[in-house]
Amino acid sequence: ENIDNMEARLWGPDQSDRVVYLANKTTLPKLSSLVQVVGVGGAPVPYLTRDAGGWRLNGRRLFFTEVCSAIGDLGDIVLINFAEYIEGLYQPLQQAESVHVRFLNNERTFKFWVRNCGMPWWSSVLTPENGATLSPLVTLAAR
C-alpha cells in the first residue's frame, strides 16, 4: 500500500524515464517479499524485479544508496522525478596532469574535476483543488 500511495502522490508524467526510486540496501529483504495479488485465483505479482538494467520497483528503476535512511525510518525509500531537479555548475570542467606519479614506468596521470550543486526545483508541494498534495519528491514515512 505504501508504494502505491507514493505513486499516487508523485507529480509528473507516469511513464518518464527520469522517475526513479532510491532506497537503502536494508530495505531489500522487505521489498523482495512485496507482492500484489491479482483477482481471487490469480498469482501474486512481485513489486520488486530484476532485469539486465538493474533493479525495478513497481516497474520503475530502483537504485540502492547509503544516503537513504535505514529501514523503518523516514526516507528509507524515496520516489523522485529528476525532471524537476536542477543542477548548477560552480566552475567548468578542469584538468591537470602529472608525470611524477610513476616516473620510472614512463607513465603520466590525468585528473579531471568539476564543482557542482543540485537541489529540487520545487520549494513546496502542490495542493490541487481536489485530491491530496502532489510533489516530484515523495519520501516514505517512518513506520
Side-chain angles (χ1 to χ4, degrees):
E1 292 176 358
N2 287 337
I3 301 299
D4 291 336
N5 289 336
M6 289 176 73
E7 291 274 351
R9 300 283 303 275
L10 180 71
W11 181 90
D14 287 335
Q15 302 301 323
S16 173
D17 291 337
R18 303 196 63 178
V19 177
V20 299
Y21 280 98
L22 303 175
N24 190 298
K25 191 77 169 192
T26 59
T27 62
L28 183 58
K30 290 287 186 185
L31 291 176
S32 297
S33 64
L34 283 180
V35 294
Q36 186 172 30
V37 179
V38 178
V40 178
V45 176
Y47 274 89
L48 184 69
T49 58
R50 190 169 189 171
D51 58 18
W55 292 100
R56 291 193 174 274
L57 181 61
N58 206 21
R60 299 189 190 276
R61 297 284 310 269
L62 168 66
F63 297 98
F64 290 107
T65 174
E66 71 279 357
V67 176
C68 291
S69 304
I71 189 168
D73 294 337
L74 172 68
D76 58 349
I77 301 175
V78 178
L79 178 61
I80 184 167
N81 181 353
F82 276 109
E84 298 298 319
Y85 189 85
I86 57 174
E87 181 182 11
L89 296 176
Y90 288 129
Q91 58 185 204
L93 178 68
Q94 295 188 357
Q95 67 172 353
E97 66 179 285
S98 175
V99 296
H100 306 292
V101 176
R102 292 182 45 117
F103 179 76
L104 295 175
N105 295 351
N106 295 325
E107 291 182 4
R108 179 179 296 189
T109 303
F110 298 93
K111 178 171 90 170
F112 299 91
W113 71 95
V114 65
R115 292 187 60 210
N116 63 338
C117 182
M119 63 184 293
W121 183 270
W122 293 28
S123 60
S124 64
V125 298
L126 172 69
T127 305
E129 185 176 335
N130 298 309
T133 58
L134 300 174
S135 176
L137 179 74
V138 182
T139 59
L140 188 59
R143 303 164 308 287

